[in-house]
Amino acid sequence: GAVVSQHPSRVICKSGTSVKIECRSLDFQATTMFWYRQFPKKSLMLMATSNEGSKATYEQGVEKDKFLINHASLTLSTLTVTSAHPEDSSFYICSAKDMGRPVGEQYFGPGTRLTVT
Amino acid sequence: AQSVTQPDIHITVSEGASLELRCNYSYGATPYLFWYVQSPGQGLQLLLKYFSGDTLVQGIKGFEAEFKRSQSSFNLRKPSVHWSDAAEYFCALYSGGGADGLTFGKGTHLIIQP
């Protein structure tokens, strides 16, 4: 089956620094990738939609200057949390849409636990 | 705007007993509906999906779900749960159109009693 990886799985950073999270589709091409944020005991909230070769589309309330998304190739999207603060601590999950699969189907990565101290 | 409601935050079931997890949605047309399972610290795994056609869909791990348009529901069922089914379960909706992101319910935490 389709595999999506995320790196790193866990990261701890100091307040004010930036952190980059990678999302890769390992065995398929993904023109579209998605970034979700999951708070403890909460649902996944879509942050942004990342399209290869174009600017990401951010959901209402998500600061695009704080959460920089780059989708430079058909298998890689990155999320950079800039000037991180403790309130940015969360579980970030990416997903990728396989071009050959029905609309709506997404494959999810294992997530990245970000802790900002 | 669309929404997904999972009324039960926690459900406890004895091993071997049957299971039903509730999911209600709000959307103006027929949505695409999904059930995902998330084990601790893991990503989401697709259990099953409904796009159209037969309203009773079969998934992996012995799960099934029934789409009921009249009740705006898509409940997940399993006739006999195993201890390994303990996890977080999410119902999700895809509305199509310009945005391909999924709208998730808040999840139901399933606890299996021995």
Side-chain angles (χ1 to χ4, degrees):
Chain A
V3 178
V4 175
S5 70
Q6 279 185 245
H7 178 79
S9 57
R10 292 178 179 270
V11 58
I12 301 173
C13 70
K14 292 185 177 180
S15 186
T17 62
S18 295
V19 174
K20 180 185 284 187
I21 302 170
E22 293 186 347
C23 176
R24 293 181 185 272
S25 57
L26 298 185
D27 50 2
F28 65 97
Q29 292 185 328
T31 54
T32 305
M33 290 184 171
F34 306 90
W35 287 95
Y36 294 85
R37 181 172 179 176
Q38 186 177 31
F39 295 93
K41 306 299 183 184
K42 295 289 186 183
S43 178
L44 282 77
M45 300 298 295
L46 178 66
M47 297 174 65
T49 301
S50 166
N51 293 296
E52 186 265 337
S54 64
K55 291 183 179 180
T57 303
Y58 291 81
E59 296 298 300
Q60 191 173 9
V62 178
E63 299 177 61
K64 62 180 181 181
D65 293 331
K66 181 167 190 61
F67 298 99
L68 301 179
I69 292 172
N70 186 308
H71 193 157
S73 77
L74 287 173
T75 59
L76 173 65
S77 176
T78 61
L79 168 68
T80 302
V81 182
T82 64
S83 186
H85 288 94
E87 57 265 30
D88 299 324
S89 299
S90 194
F91 195 53
Y92 293 88
I93 301 176
C94 74
S95 70
K97 187 171 119 175
D98 185 340
M99 292 164 57
R101 298 297 296 169
V103 293
E105 277 199 23
Q106 301 175 21
Y107 299 99
F108 286 82
T112 297
R113 173 75 60 192
L114 170 63
T115 303
V116 184
T117 60
Chain B
Q2 64 268 22
S3 65
V4 176
T5 302
Q6 292 180 247
D8 304 305
I9 298 175
H10 301 278
I11 280 191
T12 300
V13 179
S14 297
E15 190 169 13
S18 63
L19 169 71
E20 182 169 33
L21 301 182
R22 295 184 291 166
C23 172
N24 294 98
Y25 69 89
S26 175
Y27 183 59
T30 301
Y32 297 160
L33 295 163
F34 304 82
W35 273 99
Y36 287 90
V37 60
Q38 184 182 33
S39 297
Q42 302 295 312
L44 277 73
Q45 182 181 22
L46 178 66
L47 287 175
L48 47 78
K49 59 185 183 285
Y50 171 77
F51 284 176
S52 65
D54 194 347
T55 56
L56 183 63
V57 293
Q58 303 296 321
I60 63 171
K61 303 184 179 185
F63 286 94
E64 66 177 27
E66 186 171 11
F67 172 67
K68 292 186 177 180
R69 185 191 307 275
S70 61
Q71 298 177 20
S72 298
S73 68
F74 187 56
N75 294 349
L76 181 71
R77 300 193 295 248
K78 186 170 184 177
S80 176
V81 298
H82 186 262
W83 64 267
S84 60
D85 293 324
E88 194 81 22
Y89 290 80
F90 291 97
C91 182
L93 174 157
Y94 168 71
S95 60
D100 286 340
L102 298 177
T103 300
F104 283 87
K106 290 187 181 298
T108 297
H109 185 60
L110 177 62
I111 301 166
I112 306 296
Q113 281 184 337

